[in-house]
Amino acid sequence: MRIDKMLANLGYGSRKEVKQLLKSGAVKVDDAVVKDAKQHVNPETEIVTLNGEIIEYKEFIYLMMNKPPGVLSATEDNNDETVIDLLELEDQVYEPFPVGRLDKDTEGLLLITNDGQLAHRLLSPKKHVPKTYFAVIDQEVTIEDVKAFAQGVVLDDGYKTKPGDLKILKSGIRSDIELTITEGKFHQVKRMFQAVGKRVVYLQRISMGPLALDETLELGEYRELTDEEVELLKEYQVK
Ligand code: URA
C-alpha cells in the first residue's frame, strides 16, 4: 500500500496534508526517512514511525459496544446521537458501522466494524444467526407463550416468525425472560410479545452468534474484540 494512502486512511490528514508531513521528514519506514508519497509499504512486515512513534495499521476494526438507551444504531443522524458518535476519533477513522440495528431504547451487545463481508454474513437471513435477548415483560409470561413462540407467532403484518426459544427466568406481575431468535425483523422481540398480548418494558441483547456481551462494559463503553472472538465470528457457521 502507498504510504500516503496508509497515513490518510489512519486519519493523519488529507492526501495533500500527508504529503507535507512526508516532506517534513517526520515519517520513517524501518528507520529510513521516507519523503516520497508514492513509496509502497507493507504494514505487516515494515515498521512505520511518525516522529518516532510506531504507527499501527490494520485494515479492519471490530468493536463490541454495550449500547446505551437513547442512542441510534446508525452512522449519522441529524437529530440524535449515534453509536458512532460514542467512539473515540482514533476508531472513527476506520469508518465502522453497526452490524444490524437495536432500537433506540434497546441496550446491550452491538458489534461495530468496517468489515463489510463479515457484517453481511452475520446479517444474511439465510444464515439464521441466533440472537439472544433479555427482556422484562409487563405481565406474567406463561408456558403457553413458550409453546406459541416455539411454533412461531404471527406478527401485526401477518408474517409468521421462525421458532423462538423462550425461557422464563422469573414470572410474576412482571416477568424476566430470555428469548433467542434467528431473524432480525423490525422490532421483532417487541412485536412477538405484542402477538401474545404482552409488552416489552426493557430489552437488552446479550449475545449474537458466538459473541456474548462483555458484562464489564458499562453502558456506552466499548472495546476491541479479542483475536479469538474475531476468529470465532469469522468461522461461525450455524448448524
Ligand atoms: N427486537 C426488538 O424489538 N428491538 C430490538 O432492538 C431488537 C430486537
Side-chain angles (χ1 to χ4, degrees):
M1 150 177 325
R2 276 175 57 148
I3 184 88
D4 58 346
K5 182 161 195 287
M6 171 180 161
L7 292 168
N9 281 357
L10 285 170
Y12 288 100
S14 62
R15 289 288 265 272
K16 203 168 152 199
E17 286 160 344
V18 162
K19 216 171 169 178
Q20 287 304 320
L21 198 64
L22 288 160
K23 257 195 181 160
S24 77
V27 180
K28 285 184 182 170
V29 175
D30 282 348
D31 281 336
V33 171
V34 172
K35 294 195 170 181
D36 180 3
K38 291 198 218 76
Q39 177 157 332
H40 279 253
V41 280
N42 181 347
E44 307 267 310
T45 56
E46 291 171 308
I47 295 179
V48 181
T49 59
L50 172 64
N51 295 320
E53 297 271 335
I54 294 182
I55 292 177
E56 293 228 28
Y57 185 79
K58 50 187 178 228
E59 187 178 4
F60 295 122
I61 189 167
Y62 303 91
L63 306 171
M64 172 194 297
M65 177 180 281
N66 185 0
K67 179 193 168 297
V71 174
L72 292 187
S73 302
T75 47
E76 52 188 33
D77 191 81
N78 289 336
N79 303 311
D80 284 304
E81 197 172 33
T82 72
V83 290
I84 303 301
D85 295 330
L86 299 182
L87 303 182
E88 303 281 343
L89 279 181
E90 64 192 47
D91 296 318
Q92 288 189 10
V93 295
Y94 288 94
E95 301 185 345
F97 53 87
V99 178
R101 277 170 187 264
L102 290 178
D103 296 338
K104 189 174 170 182
D105 60 353
T106 302
E107 300 179 4
L109 176 65
L110 188 65
L111 175 64
I112 299 174
T113 184
N114 58 351
D115 184 341
Q117 235 181 346
L118 180 78
H120 181 74
R121 279 205 295 116
L122 290 171
L123 293 175
S124 163
K126 288 191 211 121
K127 302 282 179 194
H128 311 295
V129 174
K131 282 147 286 209
T132 301
Y133 295 85
F134 167 80
V136 179
I137 309 301
D138 71 336
Q139 50 188 289
E140 190 176 351
V141 174
T142 63
I143 289 297
E144 277 63 49
D145 298 326
V146 174
K147 287 182 190 155
F149 279 27
Q151 300 292 313
V153 290
V154 178
L155 302 183
D156 46 6
D157 58 0
Y159 175 78
K160 181 157 189 250
T161 68
K162 297 223 156 39
D165 183 12
L166 176 61
K167 287 194 178 67
I168 303 169
L169 304 178
K170 201 180 84 189
S171 190
I173 43 170
R174 279 196 168 197
S175 307
D176 292 351
I177 63 93
E178 251 178 45
L179 175 62
T180 302
I181 53 176
T182 56
E183 306 169 280
K185 302 277 172 221
F186 186 59
H187 296 328
Q188 181 153 348
V189 175
K190 292 174 185 165
R191 289 163 71 213
M192 285 177 81
F193 277 97
Q194 201 180 31
V196 293
K198 297 175 189 184
R199 195 167 64 84
V200 171
V201 292
Y202 171 81
L203 189 58
Q204 178 196 39
R205 182 156 63 194
I206 53 179
S207 72
M208 180 176 184
L211 205 60
L213 176 65
D214 178 342
E215 287 176 3
T216 66
L217 292 174
E218 300 282 336
L219 286 171
E221 281 186 348
Y222 69 96
R223 67 160 171 82
E224 281 201 54
L225 295 193
T226 62
D227 291 347
E228 200 188 353
E229 286 169 331
V230 174
E231 275 316 299
L232 278 174
L233 272 181
K234 287 188 176 167
E235 287 168 5
Y236 189 66
Q237 295 286 346
V238 180
K239 281 141 226 136

